[in-house]
Amino acid sequence: MLQVLIGIIAIAVIVVIIFYVCQRRAMRVITDLRARLVALEEARLARRLDDASLADLMGESLKVFTALQDDYLKKVAPAVDDANEQLEEVSKNLNGLNVFTVTGQLNQVRELVEEAERQQKRVVDRLQKADQKEEEQKKATATMGEQLGDFQKKLDDTAYQYGDAIRPLRSQLADLQEQFTRFNEIAAKGDHEAAAEILTDLKEKEAHFTKLAEEIPELYKPLFTTFPDQISELREGYRKLVANHYRFPVNNLDDQIEGLEAQRQTALDHIAALSLAPVRVANKSLEEKIDHLYDVMQNEMDARPQVEKLVGVVGDHLDHARQQNRELMAELDRLSESYTLNHDEVAHTRELEEQLKQIQKEYEKDQVAVNAQAAVASQVLERFMEDEKVLTAIETQQKEINDGVADLSKDEQRARKALQRFVTTVRATKRHVESPQLAGAAARLPGLFLPGLR
């Protein structure tokens, strides 16, 4: 009997403990849910979305806020009220045996709270975006108005920097100002959604206008000031150089100069149409072409005095090389009568002679052109410089050939000297024999001396 009593007491203790644990757990959940419901109520969306707050709105903004108000009143507020009522009912059941059945009810309340939080977050996010748009529009009203005023002043003060582009720029600015006025009117009436669309378009147009206003003066300046002066200078320079009998590598230099002016005028037309991409290309092209024409003229001016100096130098060099080649050829011909030349020295020297003849032919043509003031000095200078290199190379080869047969010449000279000594000795002997003391001996040896040595 005692054991049964102990068992009953143990069971009762366990039940009490379970009851206590369930009660405490339920109270913690209720406390958390109530705190979340208080947070939902403290957001004060009801006041933010009441009819008085919508009175200042119109158009698309009014539609958006009306939809948010409807979502709040039909989805958030009822869920909060329902969750509060169920929590009160659950709280009452915590002191009885119903504490073991409140878990299901608490789960339902939790779902209600979570749905209310999701719906309220969506509403809050939309309200924040709307507030951001309104704040952005307020700032735009101040900053963009000032910016458009600055543009107007800049165009008035520096109209000369824009050329014919000033008229379409002023027209664009007037359109921007008109659109800005319409934006302010719509924003002031409370249609912030429609105003936001206008503001987006207005910002894009203002950015484009800003780029035009900054870039056109940089593109227009060389077309209006630098290039015309350079083209005039090229015209005058060409005229003077032709009058002084300068010739150029191309025949249509004057047409190229006039083409620069046509290209400049086309670029100005593009600026007037606010089409800047082809102007950038044209300015770069004009700069490169003008520099090239300056270089062409300068090259001829620099080349002429050098040609006038080199025409004599090259002529003398050529004469020297040809004379040296003739002497070398004569020496080789003489040596070939007594020796066998094994390194094609004769053929090589003849090849050098052919090269010299070709240089002579081209040189004489250039010399005639220079004397007649009909030569393109830069081209003649290039040929003269090349002639100098070739002539120097030919003389080097001549020296190599001459050095190659130098030993043969030395051998021949030694043989000649030996023969000369022999001839001298024979002649001395002959004079001695023919002296009065040995006159009889000479008569007895009539064939002793060669006829040429008598």
Side-chain angles (χ1 to χ4, degrees), residues 150-165:
D150 291 341
F151 282 145
Q152 184 67 59
K153 186 177 186 304
K154 182 176 182 179
L155 293 184
D156 291 341
D157 293 344
T158 60
Y160 64 92
Q161 295 182 358
Y162 295 89
D164 292 338

Side-chain angles (χ1 to χ4, degrees), residues 15-276:
V15 170
V16 171
I17 292 174
I18 292 174
F19 177 84
Y20 180 78
V21 170
C22 290
Q23 186 184 50
R24 288 297 178 184
R25 182 181 299 169
M27 288 177 66
R28 285 197 301 271
V29 173
I30 291 171
T31 301
D32 175 66
L33 291 174
R34 278 179 175 167
R36 291 164 69 178
L37 289 170
V38 170
L40 287 171
E41 293 171 347
E42 287 181 348
R44 298 180 180 179
L45 290 185
R47 182 182 300 177
R48 180 73 171 80
L49 293 170
D50 61 16
D51 292 337
S53 298
L54 303 182
D56 295 332
L57 303 177
M58 64 172 292
E60 290 298 321
S61 291
L62 180 59
K63 291 179 182 179
V64 170
F65 272 78
T66 300
L68 293 177
Q69 183 188 57
D70 189 61
D71 286 344
Y72 179 77
L73 294 177
K74 291 182 179 180
K75 297 178 181 179
V76 179
V80 172
D81 293 341
D82 193 9
N84 278 319
E85 290 177 4
Q86 291 191 39
L87 281 180
E88 287 298 325
E89 183 177 349
V90 170
S91 297
K92 294 177 182 177
N93 294 330
L94 291 180
N95 296 320
L97 294 177
N98 289 333
V99 71
F100 298 109
T101 64
V102 298
T103 301
Q105 290 178 290
L106 288 176
N107 287 336
Q108 292 178 1
V109 175
R110 184 184 290 107
E111 291 177 359
L112 283 173
V113 173
E114 289 175 351
E115 178 61 21
E117 288 175 337
R118 281 194 296 271
Q119 292 296 333
Q120 179 154 306
K121 184 178 184 305
R122 192 179 71 83
V123 173
V124 169
D125 289 344
R126 293 292 301 275
L127 286 174
Q128 288 177 346
K129 290 180 180 178
D131 291 341
Q132 289 173 358
K133 289 180 180 179
E134 184 175 359
E135 185 63 26
E136 183 181 6
Q137 290 164 18
K138 289 179 181 179
K139 291 180 179 178
T141 298
T143 58
M144 190 171 290
E146 183 179 354
Q147 182 67 36
L148 293 177
D150 291 341
F151 282 145
Q152 184 67 59
K153 186 177 186 304
K154 182 176 182 179
L155 293 184
D156 291 341
D157 293 344
T158 60
Y160 64 92
Q161 295 182 358
Y162 295 89
D164 292 338
I166 191 66
R167 183 175 298 176
L169 281 175
R170 282 175 171 160
S171 177
Q172 277 197 15
L173 182 58
D175 291 342
L176 285 173
Q177 291 170 332
E178 181 180 349
Q179 188 174 9
F180 178 67
T181 299
R182 186 167 66 256
F183 156 75
N184 280 333
E185 291 173 352
I186 292 175
K189 290 177 181 179
D191 191 354
H192 298 295
E193 293 295 322
E197 294 181 4
I198 296 176
L199 182 59
T200 298
D201 182 60
L202 195 56
K203 284 183 175 181
E204 292 178 357
K205 291 180 178 178
E206 184 197 27
H208 178 64
F209 183 87
T210 301
K211 186 176 181 180
L212 290 175
E214 291 176 351
E215 193 170 359
I216 286 177
E218 297 178 1
L219 295 173
Y220 178 71
K221 183 178 179 180
L223 289 169
F224 183 69
T225 58
T226 307
F227 293 155
D229 291 344
Q230 291 177 331
I231 293 172
S232 296
E233 188 175 29
L234 286 172
R235 282 198 190 105
E236 183 63 17
Y238 176 76
R239 184 187 65 78
K240 289 182 178 180
L241 291 176
V242 170
N244 283 279
H245 308 289
Y246 277 87
R247 298 293 182 268
F248 302 95
V250 291
N251 296 323
N252 62 339
L253 208 62
D254 52 342
D255 293 337
Q256 291 187 35
I257 294 173
E258 295 309 315
L260 296 176
E261 178 59 24
Q263 189 174 1
R264 186 184 77 90
Q265 289 296 336
T266 301
L268 288 173
D269 292 340
H270 283 301
I271 281 186
L274 304 183
S275 178
L276 302 189

Side-chain angles (χ1 to χ4, degrees), residues 434-445:
E434 290 178 346
S435 66
Q437 293 84 355
L438 298 175
R444 292 193 299 270
L445 300 170

